[in-house]
Amino acid sequence: MKMQINGKAVESYSGEFFYIINPATGELIDQVPKGTEYDVEIAVEAASSAFNCWASTSPQQRARILYTAAGIVRQRKDELAILLTREQGKPFAESKNEIEGFANVLEYYCGLASSFHGDFIPVPQNGYSFTIKKPLGVCAAIIPWNMPALIMAWKISPALITGNTLVLKPASNTPLTNLTLASILSEAGLPPGVINIVTGPGEVVGESLVKSPQVKKISFTGEARTGKRVAELAAGGMKRVTLELGGSDPMIVCDDANLETAVSGALRGRFYNCGQTCTAVKRLFVFESVAEGFIKKLEASIRNLKVGNGLHENIDMGPLNNCRQWEYIKELVADVEEKDEGRIVAGGRVPEGSAYSRGYFFEPTLVVDVQRESRLLKEEVFGPVLPVVQVKNLEEAIEEANNTCYGLGASIWTKNIDRVRTGCEQLNAGIIWINQHLKVAPEVPFGGAGESGIGKENGPDALSEYLDLKALMLKI
Ligand code: NAP
C-alpha cells in the first residue's frame, strides 16, 4: 500500500519501503513507503492548504461525510477485520469489535456536531462578553500498533468534526488498516488534504511531525518513554498535546466478590488482545481469605484458552504483535523463574507444535505468590502474563495498587457500596470500573493520571482538545 497525501496514494521521496509481516505466520503481507522528513513537509503543507476550506464548512456538513464513512466501514467490516487480524494478530472477533468501535466513535462525534459553540457571558459594568470556538489548524495524530483502528477513531473524530485537518502517522507494524480507513474517508467525500497519512519510522516521521511549525497540536498514543520525548519536542513550539500513555492497571478482588464473574473479568481483562491493551489487568490483588478458590478457578479457565492464528475458528488469543514484544515477555518470565520471584501455575512457555512455529506466540500465563520487587509488578507488562498478589484487606490492596508511576485504569470487585466508594475515592486512576474491567465507550472520557498521560479522549470533553477558545468583550 502507499501513503496518502492530498487525497492521492503516493510513494515516499526516499523510494524505500518496509515490510508488514503477519505475526501469526511470519508471512509477508504488504510493503509500505518508508517516509522521510520531506514527505512529512508535503503532507503538512497539504493539510495546511485544506484547512481554511474545511474549517469553513458547517459541522453538520462534516458530520454527513463522517457518517457516510462510518456506514462504508460497517459494510466492509469483515474485510477490514481480516486485514487488522493479519497485520496485528488479534482474533477475528476482536478485530471485528474494533472495526465496529471505529464506526461507533465516528458516529458519536457526528451526533455532537451542533454541540460546540461559544457562550454569551454578561459582565457587570463592562457590557457584554462572548466566547467563540475555532479549530486549531493542522493536527498530528501518532498511533500505536495495539488498537490501530479504534485509536485512529479516538483522534480523528473530534479533530475533524471541529474543523481541523490532520496528518496521521500509523505504527510501523500496523499501517494497513489505518491506510484503508483513510481511503474510505476519501471515498465518503472527505476533501483532499483533510486527512493525510505518512508511514515510516517514529524517530523520523513522528519527530518531524511534532517539530513542524505548522502543526498546532499533537495527539499521541504510545509508551510513556516515547510520550516524554514527544512532550519535550512539542514544548519547543509550545504546542498543545494529548498524551495517552502506558498503564499498569490493578484489579482488586474483595472477599465478597462474585468469584465466577471476577474470573471471567480477569480473563478478558488480561488476555484480550494477547494482553496488549493499555488498560489490561496488569496486576491482580485478591483478598487472602478467598485467594485459594479464586486462583484455582482462574488457573482452570486460563488453561482452557485456545491460542492460535486469529483467523482460525474458536481462537481466544492470538500471537504477540511483534518480535520485540515477544522477546520481552519471554525474558520477563525467565527472569521471574530465575530469581524465584513468583510461582508459574499456568503457561509460561512458547507453545509447541507446527501451528506455532513461525509466529510470536506465548502461552497465557498465571504467576502467583509474586514478590513485591518483581519486574512483573514494576514494569508495564504488555503481554499475556497475569501476576497475582494476595492482600489482607482493601486498605492494603489500594496501597499496593497505587504503588506505580501509572494511573490509567483500575477495577474493584465487590458488592459492598462502602468499598466501592473507598475504591473510587482512593485509587489513583483516570477510569475506575466496578465489577468489570476494560470496557470503554465513545461517550465516556478516557485518559490517565501520572505517567499514563495528559488530556482526555472520548466524550464531549475531547472536543475542547481541538478547539481554541477566544473571548470577546464589548463595551456599548
Ligand atoms: P511506541 O513505541 O511509543 O509507539 C507509538 C507510536 O509512536 C508509533 O507510531 C511509533 O512509530 C511512534 N514513535 C516512536 N518513536 C517516536 C518518536 N521519537 N517521536 C514520535 N513518534 C514516535 O508505543 P507502541 O509500542 O506502539 O504501543 C504500546 C504502548 O502504547 C503501551 O505502552 C500502551 O500502554 C500504550 N497505549 C496507551 C493507550 C492509552 O490510551 N493510554 C492506548 C493504547 C496503547 P513506530 O511504530 O514507527 O516506532
Side-chain angles (χ1 to χ4, degrees):
M1 270 189 205
K2 296 184 178 166
M3 304 195 291
Q4 284 186 33
I5 301 181
N6 216 5
K8 295 191 193 83
V10 296
E11 295 187 354
S12 164
Y13 277 81
S14 70
E16 291 179 40
F17 291 89
F18 60 97
Y19 299 116
I20 311 303
I21 305 292
N22 183 330
T25 62
E27 71 174 323
L28 174 68
I29 312 172
D30 207 336
Q31 57 178 29
V32 293
K34 191 169 175 184
T36 61
E37 288 173 16
Y38 187 56
D39 295 304
V40 171
E41 240 177 75
I42 310 267
V44 170
E45 196 49 56
S48 192
S49 304
F51 174 67
N52 281 342
C53 189
W54 180 244
S56 65
T57 57
S58 71
Q60 289 73 18
Q61 272 172 290
R62 295 174 213 146
R64 276 195 288 276
I65 295 172
L66 300 189
Y67 203 77
T68 305
I72 302 173
V73 168
R74 288 192 192 287
Q75 277 162 17
R76 291 176 54 183
K77 74 174 172 226
D78 283 4
E79 167 214 334
L80 286 160
I82 290 171
L83 181 63
L84 181 55
T85 293
R86 289 182 73 215
E87 68 173 343
Q88 204 280 343
K90 60 185 71 183
F92 176 68
E94 291 183 19
S95 288
K96 222 154 109 170
N97 200 17
E98 185 173 338
I99 298 298
E100 276 166 7
F102 178 93
N104 290 342
V105 175
L106 229 58
E107 286 166 356
Y108 169 72
Y109 280 99
C110 293
L112 295 187
S114 307
S115 72
F116 48 92
H117 45 69
D119 276 329
F120 165 69
I121 311 164
V123 180
Q125 286 148 18
N126 274 328
Y128 301 101
S129 176
F130 301 90
T131 56
I132 53 174
K133 291 182 178 176
K134 306 283 278 175
L136 304 174
V138 179
C139 300
I142 303 180
I143 309 270
W145 46 260
N146 68 330
M147 300 229 167
L150 189 64
I151 291 169
M152 177 179 180
W154 288 3
K155 297 190 186 312
I156 68 164
S157 311
L160 294 178
I161 200 76
T162 47
N164 297 279
T165 56
L166 275 161
V167 180
L168 183 145
K169 190 207 110 48
S172 293
N173 298 321
T174 55
L176 304 177
T177 311
N178 290 144
L179 285 164
T180 312
L181 288 167
S183 70
I184 289 177
L185 283 156
S186 299
E187 186 188 331
L190 200 69
V194 173
I195 188 164
N196 306 276
I197 305 223
V198 182
T199 48
E203 294 77 13
V204 179
V205 172
E207 294 209 5
S208 330
L209 252 180
V210 177
K211 286 191 275 191
S212 167
Q214 284 166 282
V215 170
K216 305 296 178 211
K217 190 225 154 78
I218 298 111
S219 179
F220 169 85
T221 300
E223 279 184 41
R225 197 182 35 189
T226 325
K228 286 179 191 173
R229 173 75 182 143
V230 167
E232 217 176 275
L233 294 173
M238 205 54 83
K239 298 178 183 192
R240 289 231 210 154
V241 287
T242 301
L243 299 171
E244 297 292 355
L245 310 177
S248 184
D249 286 15
M251 165 171 176
I252 298 174
V253 181
C254 300
D255 53 3
D256 63 329
N258 178 327
L259 294 188
E260 298 290 337
T261 322
V263 165
S264 321
L267 222 58
R268 183 176 153 79
R270 175 70 272 196
F271 301 106
Y272 191 82
N273 200 14
C274 196
Q276 304 163 119
T277 306
C278 50
T279 49
V281 173
K282 296 189 183 127
R283 297 170 297 144
L284 194 150
F285 300 100
V286 57
F287 280 28
E288 280 168 3
S289 49
V290 292
E292 197 184 334
F294 174 76
I295 289 169
K296 260 199 193 130
K297 285 183 208 289
L298 188 57
E299 181 190 334
S301 309
I302 289 176
R303 286 183 190 282
N304 270 337
L305 291 176
K306 190 152 182 244
V307 179
N309 183 333
L311 288 181
H312 295 170
E313 297 242 311
N314 303 321
I315 293 298
D316 298 305
M317 197 180 89
L320 286 136
N321 169 261
N322 57 70
C323 190
R324 191 186 78 157
Q325 230 28 61
W326 190 50
E327 293 297 344
Y328 170 73
I329 291 298
K330 287 192 287 183
E331 187 219 295
L332 198 66
V333 172
D335 195 60
V336 171
E337 278 182 308
E338 205 173 289
K339 295 187 183 149
D340 207 13
E341 286 179 345
R343 211 159 39 86
I344 298 170
V345 291
R349 300 274 174 272
V350 172
E352 286 174 1
S354 57
Y356 305 110
S357 63
R358 296 184 62 209
Y360 304 127
F361 293 100
F362 198 82
E363 291 173 346
T365 298
L366 179 63
V367 190
V368 299
D369 304 334
V370 178
Q371 305 294 306
R372 302 309 198 259
E373 63 277 13
S374 168
R375 286 172 62 193
L376 285 180
L377 302 180
K378 294 198 177 328
E379 296 175 17
E380 184 192 18
V381 179
F382 216 55
V385 181
L386 179 58
V388 176
V389 174
Q390 296 189 27
V391 288
K392 286 192 180 56
N393 50 37
L394 188 59
E395 196 185 353
E396 187 187 350
I398 292 176
E399 196 184 323
E400 297 270 1
N402 285 342
N403 186 17
T404 168
C405 61
Y406 295 111
L408 195 52
S411 65
I412 175 159
W413 299 68
T414 179
K415 298 185 198 105
N416 181 320
I417 192 72
D418 285 336
R419 287 174 166 171
V420 169
R421 201 198 60 223
T422 307
C424 290
E425 282 175 8
Q426 296 182 8
L427 282 166
N428 180 23
I431 180 160
I432 293 173
W433 291 279
I434 316 299
N435 297 323
Q436 60 172 336
H437 198 111
L438 216 62
K439 175 133 182 89
V440 290
E443 298 83 356
V444 182
F446 183 92
E451 294 206 10
S452 290
I454 299 172
K456 299 287 171 194
E457 292 190 312
N458 287 344
D461 293 331
L463 294 169
S464 53
E465 306 264 351
Y466 293 92
L467 288 164
D468 205 15
L469 186 64
K470 273 190 186 171
L472 307 178
M473 296 194 81
L474 231 73
K475 186 152 182 156
I476 300 175

